[in-house]
Amino acid sequence: MRRWLTLALLAAGPVLVVGVFFVLPVSGMVARGFWADGAFDPGGVLQVLTRPRVVRVAWFTVWSAGAATVISVLLGLPAAFVLHRLALPGRKIIRAALLVPFVLPTVVVGVAFRLLLGEAGPLGFLGLDGTPVAIVAGLVFFNLAVVIRAVGAAWESLDVRPAEAAAALGASPSQVWWTVTLPALRPAIVSAASIVFLFCATAFGIVLTLGGVRYATVETEIYLLTTTLFDLQAAAALSVLQLVVVVALLGLAARLRAVPDPTADRSSSRPRRIRRGDGPALVATALVLGLVAAPIVTLVLGSFRTEAGWSLGNYRALSGVGSNDALLVPVTEALLTSVRTAVDATWMALIMGLAVAVLVTRRSQSRPERRVRGLLDGFFMLPLGVSAVTLGFGFLITLDRPPVDLRDSALLVPIAQALVALPLVVRTLVPVLAGIDDRQRQAAASLGASPWRALLTVDLPVVWKPLLAASGFAFAASLGEFGATSFLARDDNPTVPIVIFRLIGHPGELNFGMALAASVVLAGTTAIVMLAVERLRVPSVGAF
């Protein structure tokens, strides 16, 4: 009874926060669709799902997400091998560089690919601008890091002795791969693929920027239905469909997630020297680097190009509001707003994430208790895949009356961004806390240490680096969040992703040049944060 009471007390705070700021807005958004004109109308929601456009949108979502997932896995596997198993010079810097796209603002990725594939871009001759291929390429660019980090972390923890034994018995390298290595990596691969599919299916800024109205996914369709058509019933139907898929994928990822044991002997997993047979993997890694570098290099070069030639004019213009008063505030002011908002979102996500991680990693003494902790883990991961658009619009229609009237609160946007970053914080901290031997805490308690003293002496020395890494992830994710913020940010207090989207939506070469310069500034800030995270060298960063 004492254990259940303690569990309930520990869970009460996080459950209340997620309940008020996640479950309530999402359920409020869904309820608006089911209760049309005050009457319960589930048939209307079901009818929405049979609309020809909704069917096309759902199919395009599945098709584009599936194609991007397959390509990400095929390109990510050899890159994971090269960057986590081979003694490649500069591999830490390369790993950090490949991690940057994952936390880049999606609208920045969209702008970079438009510049790369546009008529005047380096690959404009391919005619891919505004096509599904461009969208899939953007999704692959964004999600390659998930496969590389998740599979690479599992690959580093593999014991090389079974593979060496198979080779000693005459197995060829391909036979060793198919019979020894791949079965050991399969859980990590399937888990990474399910998370990539989830991210691709719920992508917002990339699809909105590259596909517009013609190529819409469920996520962008919810946005169009709520902001343009105000068809809440249709938006609710798509939100329910998306929520069902998200829950199923999160459940699959949780069952198949492979977390390396931090206490295991890693002497056998040290990087080895490059051999002659590693050529194909090195070529594939070079292809990945090219795919990641091309849009970013094009974006940086484009930001220095003005009507007068090469100059810093676009960057100097960031202190203004663009041509024809495209903005209400300068980009520099929006950057300060983004940083302040990201700082607030980071400390919120850290406090919540640490509490959740401690809650779900404590040893269970019975099957019901283990099941409850597993359910809580899944509950707190729901914000990972639920539409940020649904969350943002739900904030507007539910948090508008006492006692939670936050429409005019400066914390509204940070709270939404903290919920988006929360799963990344939890997934960074959970593997580390789960790897601490509970006997150490028991030994501290037997010597008279209180639970708080045991936490400080046993857990804190192990978890401080992952806490810093989680802070970097939360800050970068909050800095570039676009979906929920597009609903909640006020016109006179926008963040940089909102400003970039407005600039590319206004005609004029100066506005587009300012959008490129602002994108480079935002991408550079994110890259600096990710380089700092990589220097911490936290294996759990790959445990998405």
Side-chain angles (χ1 to χ4, degrees), residues 141 288-298:
F141 171 89
V288 169
L289 290 173
L291 174 64
V292 171
I296 295 178
V297 171
T298 305

Short mmCIF file of all heavy atoms in Angstrom, two decimals, residues 141 288-298:
data_model
loop_
_atom_site.label_atom_id
_atom_site.label_comp_id
_atom_site.label_asym_id
_atom_site.label_seq_id
_atom_site.Cartn_x
_atom_site.Cartn_y
_atom_site.Cartn_z
N PHE A 141 16.01 14.03 -45.19
CA PHE A 141 17.01 14.95 -44.63
C PHE A 141 16.76 15.18 -43.15
O PHE A 141 17.69 15.19 -42.34
CB PHE A 141 16.93 16.27 -45.40
CG PHE A 141 17.74 17.39 -44.82
CD1 PHE A 141 19.06 17.58 -45.18
CD2 PHE A 141 17.18 18.29 -43.92
CE1 PHE A 141 19.81 18.61 -44.65
CE2 PHE A 141 17.91 19.32 -43.38
CZ PHE A 141 19.23 19.49 -43.75
N VAL A 288 25.23 10.30 -47.77
CA VAL A 288 24.42 10.91 -46.70
C VAL A 288 24.93 12.32 -46.39
O VAL A 288 24.15 13.27 -46.25
CB VAL A 288 24.46 10.02 -45.44
CG1 VAL A 288 23.88 10.77 -44.25
CG2 VAL A 288 23.69 8.74 -45.68
N LEU A 289 26.25 12.47 -46.29
CA LEU A 289 26.82 13.78 -46.02
C LEU A 289 26.49 14.77 -47.13
O LEU A 289 26.20 15.95 -46.87
CB LEU A 289 28.34 13.68 -45.86
CG LEU A 289 28.84 12.98 -44.59
CD1 LEU A 289 30.35 12.79 -44.64
CD2 LEU A 289 28.45 13.78 -43.36
N GLY A 290 26.50 14.29 -48.37
CA GLY A 290 26.13 15.15 -49.49
C GLY A 290 24.68 15.58 -49.42
O GLY A 290 24.34 16.74 -49.68
N LEU A 291 23.80 14.62 -49.08
CA LEU A 291 22.37 14.94 -48.96
C LEU A 291 22.13 15.97 -47.87
O LEU A 291 21.28 16.87 -48.02
CB LEU A 291 21.58 13.66 -48.65
CG LEU A 291 20.08 13.84 -48.36
CD1 LEU A 291 19.36 14.38 -49.58
CD2 LEU A 291 19.46 12.51 -47.93
N VAL A 292 22.87 15.87 -46.77
CA VAL A 292 22.69 16.81 -45.67
C VAL A 292 23.34 18.16 -45.99
O VAL A 292 22.80 19.23 -45.66
CB VAL A 292 23.28 16.23 -44.37
CG1 VAL A 292 23.32 17.26 -43.27
CG2 VAL A 292 22.47 15.01 -43.93
N ALA A 293 24.51 18.13 -46.64
CA ALA A 293 25.26 19.37 -46.87
C ALA A 293 24.65 20.22 -47.97
O ALA A 293 24.68 21.46 -47.88
CB ALA A 293 26.72 19.04 -47.19
N ALA A 294 24.13 19.59 -49.03
CA ALA A 294 23.67 20.35 -50.20
C ALA A 294 22.63 21.42 -49.85
O ALA A 294 22.80 22.60 -50.23
CB ALA A 294 23.13 19.39 -51.26
N PRO A 295 21.53 21.09 -49.15
CA PRO A 295 20.56 22.15 -48.83
C PRO A 295 21.14 23.23 -47.92
O PRO A 295 20.84 24.42 -48.09
CB PRO A 295 19.42 21.39 -48.13
CG PRO A 295 19.60 19.97 -48.50
CD PRO A 295 21.07 19.78 -48.66
N ILE A 296 21.97 22.82 -46.95
CA ILE A 296 22.50 23.80 -46.00
C ILE A 296 23.48 24.74 -46.70
O ILE A 296 23.44 25.96 -46.49
CB ILE A 296 23.18 23.07 -44.83
CG1 ILE A 296 22.14 22.27 -44.03
CG2 ILE A 296 23.88 24.07 -43.92
CD1 ILE A 296 22.71 21.49 -42.88
N VAL A 297 24.37 24.20 -47.53
CA VAL A 297 25.33 25.03 -48.26
C VAL A 297 24.59 25.99 -49.19
O VAL A 297 24.92 27.18 -49.30
CB VAL A 297 26.33 24.16 -49.04
CG1 VAL A 297 27.18 25.01 -49.97
CG2 VAL A 297 27.22 23.38 -48.08
N THR A 298 23.57 25.47 -49.89
CA THR A 298 22.78 26.32 -50.79
C THR A 298 22.09 27.43 -50.01
O THR A 298 22.02 28.58 -50.47
CB THR A 298 21.73 25.47 -51.52
OG1 THR A 298 22.36 24.39 -52.20
CG2 THR A 298 20.97 26.31 -52.54
#
